[in-house]
Amino acid sequence: MRVKTSITLPADLLARVDRVDSNRSAFLERAARVYLARVEQADRDRRDIAIINRHARRLNREALETLEYQILP
């Protein structure tokens, strides 16, 4: 379902939008979807990094143990 809304944009930005697409609504919808996807991905990346950092010591220790095991005398 679509909802009609009104926004205020600087004239120069609106002119740039018009040069790219004559359908302002479609352009702004696509732009919003792309922006939101990037924001959501950045949030997921931050959560993943936090998880990795919480387990970094253990993971690094396991990696070193594996490397030590693989070294041949």
Side-chain angles (χ1 to χ4, degrees):
M1 175 169 77
R2 298 204 179 270
V3 177
K4 188 169 179 85
T5 187
S6 174
I7 62 170
T8 303
L9 297 173
D12 64 315
L13 180 58
L14 193 57
R16 290 172 65 191
V17 168
D18 289 342
R19 282 195 297 272
V20 172
D21 193 334
S22 61
N23 185 337
R24 292 174 176 171
S25 291
F27 176 88
L28 293 173
E29 180 180 349
R30 284 192 312 274
R33 288 183 188 281
V34 168
Y35 177 77
L36 290 171
R38 288 181 183 170
V39 168
E40 291 163 351
Q41 182 63 54
D43 287 343
R44 286 190 300 272
D45 290 346
R46 275 192 289 281
R47 284 193 304 273
D48 289 347
I49 289 170
I51 291 168
I52 291 168
N53 286 337
R54 277 197 310 271
H55 300 285
R57 262 195 208 130
R58 180 180 55 79
L59 294 170
N60 287 337
R61 188 174 55 248
E62 289 175 6
L64 285 173
E65 289 171 0
T66 300
L67 289 172
E68 288 171 0
Y69 176 78
Q70 291 177 353
I71 294 175
L72 298 175

